[in-house]
Structures are given as C-alpha cells and as structure tokens.
Amino acid sequence: RRKQRKAHFGATSVDRRERMASPLSADLKLKWKVNAMPVRTGDNVKVIRGGFKGVDGVVKACYRKKYVIHVEKCTRDKANGQTVFVGIDASNVTITELKMDKSRRAILLRRAIKKGDKID
C-alpha cells in the first residue's frame, strides 16, 4: 500500500496522464476496439457518478496536479458570486466523443492492432 501511495502522489505529469483515463462509450468501444483512453481537453464526456451525474459537456481542463478534470457545465457559484468549475475524477466520466487528431488516431490504431483487431 505504501508503494502504491508513493507512486500515485509522486507521479510525474506524464504518468498522471495515463492514470487519468476514462472508459469510452459503447459505440466508441465498438468503433475503435479500445476500452479506455486518457481524458483530454476538448473531449465530450458524460458524468456517470456524483452530484453532476447525467451531465454532458466538453472537458475544459485536465488538472493533473489535483487528478481532476473540469467539465463545461459542472460549475458552482462561490459566496462572492464568482462561478468556478467543480473538479471531477476522470474515472467518474465516460468519453462520448473523442477530440481526434493525428497522434491520437495513431494511438488508437496502435492499441487496436496490438489486440489483433482490424479497424476501418
């Protein structure tokens, strides 16, 4: 347990990226043959646990230092009237739409090939 805690709290930003992975929605799993991906700014997600359960939104920030993500519609008002994002753990959301670019597509293809699946 001690070593697990040390690895978690002493992780580098690169390690935290992988730890902050979320499951993909059912249709994305079928399409890419991959179960989970690290969350990224610009992904569309659906909150499945906690007080904001059921909220769909775009990831505005991945706050790796605190292991949380900030989702567009998950906010609260402070006492002074300022609106702030509520941090949500990456494991409590499902990715409904990936922000796709060349490198991310390469990651998905590589992972699918590793499993032995063929992607269109």
Side-chain angles (χ1 to χ4, degrees):
R1 188 175 99 202
R2 180 166 82 178
K3 290 182 180 181
Q4 292 296 319
R5 285 178 56 82
K6 182 179 181 181
H8 180 79
F9 293 109
T12 62
S13 182
V14 176
D15 295 332
R16 286 174 189 242
R17 175 184 166 273
E18 289 185 9
R19 287 173 179 268
M20 291 174 65
S22 296
L24 299 180
S25 63
D27 54 331
L28 284 177
K29 280 183 188 179
L30 285 174
K31 181 179 179 183
W32 294 106
K33 311 291 194 274
V34 172
N35 288 331
M37 282 290 288
V39 182
R40 174 181 169 177
T41 303
D43 287 344
N44 283 23
V45 296
K46 181 174 186 174
V47 182
I48 54 174
R49 295 272 189 287
F52 291 99
K53 182 178 181 177
V55 174
D56 291 312
V58 178
V59 177
K60 289 294 181 185
C62 292
Y63 198 168
R64 291 184 188 168
K65 189 172 185 179
K66 290 187 175 181
Y67 279 111
V68 296
I69 61 173
H70 292 159
V71 180
E72 187 177 41
K73 297 174 188 167
C74 299
T75 59
R76 64 183 290 271
D77 294 327
K78 288 172 51 168
N80 65 3
Q82 184 182 4
T83 302
V84 291
F85 287 107
V86 175
I88 296 173
D89 195 273
S91 64
N92 293 338
V93 301
T94 55
I95 300 173
T96 55
E97 189 180 322
L98 292 164
K99 181 182 177 188
M100 195 61 67
D101 66 354
K102 192 168 66 174
S103 62
R104 204 154 200 211
R105 184 173 172 75
I107 292 168
L108 286 164
L109 292 172
R110 184 177 67 233
R111 288 177 65 183
I113 290 168
K114 191 174 171 182
K115 281 177 140 180
D117 293 323
K118 194 99 171 172
I119 293 181
D120 306 334

